[in-house]
Amino acid sequence: MFDCETEIRRIWDAYVQSIFPTAVEVKKSNEYWYNIIDNQGKVLGYAMNSKTYCQDVIGYRKQTPVMIITNKNGEIRKVALLTNSETLSYVKLLEKNGFFNLWNGKNLKEAQQVELDAYSGATVTAIAVQKNVNFLLEKGLKVKPKSR
């Protein structure tokens, strides 16, 4: 059985702490959200993870789960592809072309309006990632995170 909190902890250094260097804990807030917390118990921001919800969303090879990290105001700071089986060169192409930055700086509602440009050579992966992101955006707007 997959544990989302374990997955978030595993990618901690690469993603959460790159945005919030003083973060020391990630704690489940509700069904979709996690609180990102500093050593004084202050909520720095929030994270969502599509791993357990979008298992039927298939990229070029298999699932393409993502994490969305926001600040306390709900502005997206990072969209990151979690552990996956996509062809590394496709993922690198998307990174090089700024694909994962398309949502940065937008609130969840604004981020729903993001449209994909053509990503030649990685279109299937890009569409699958977008489906994961859109799922989280929809759920994240309906169920707000709870601060401590």
Side-chain angles (χ1 to χ4, degrees), residues 47-123:
M48 292 186 286
N49 178 329
S50 70
K51 183 78 171 181
T52 59
Y53 303 106
C54 296
Q55 294 180 10
D56 60 332
V57 178
I58 306 299
Y60 184 70
R61 290 191 168 170
K62 291 186 180 180
Q63 293 87 4
T64 53
V66 300
M67 172 186 272
I68 296 176
I69 299 172
T70 72
N71 64 17
K72 288 192 325 186
N73 298 323
E75 177 185 299
I76 295 173
R77 300 288 307 276
K78 187 169 197 66
V79 171
L81 186 60
L82 300 177
T83 302
N84 65 85
S85 298
E86 294 302 283
T87 304
L88 184 58
S89 62
Y90 294 172
V91 175
K92 293 289 186 193
L93 179 63
L94 292 174
E95 288 172 350
K96 178 182 174 192
N97 290 325
F99 172 77
F100 294 100
N101 297 326
L102 290 173
W103 298 274
N104 290 354
K106 295 173 174 49
N107 66 38
L108 301 185
K109 186 81 170 160
E110 294 167 342
Q112 287 183 311
Q113 306 307 312
V114 169
E115 293 186 24
L116 295 183
D117 290 331
Y119 285 95
S120 181
T123 305

Side-chain angles (χ1 to χ4, degrees), residues 133-148:
V133 169
N134 287 343
F135 172 86
L136 290 176
L137 294 173
E138 179 184 331
K139 297 303 181 184
L141 282 165
K142 288 181 182 174
V143 179
K144 303 290 186 196
K146 298 173 186 166
S147 297
R148 292 179 9 154

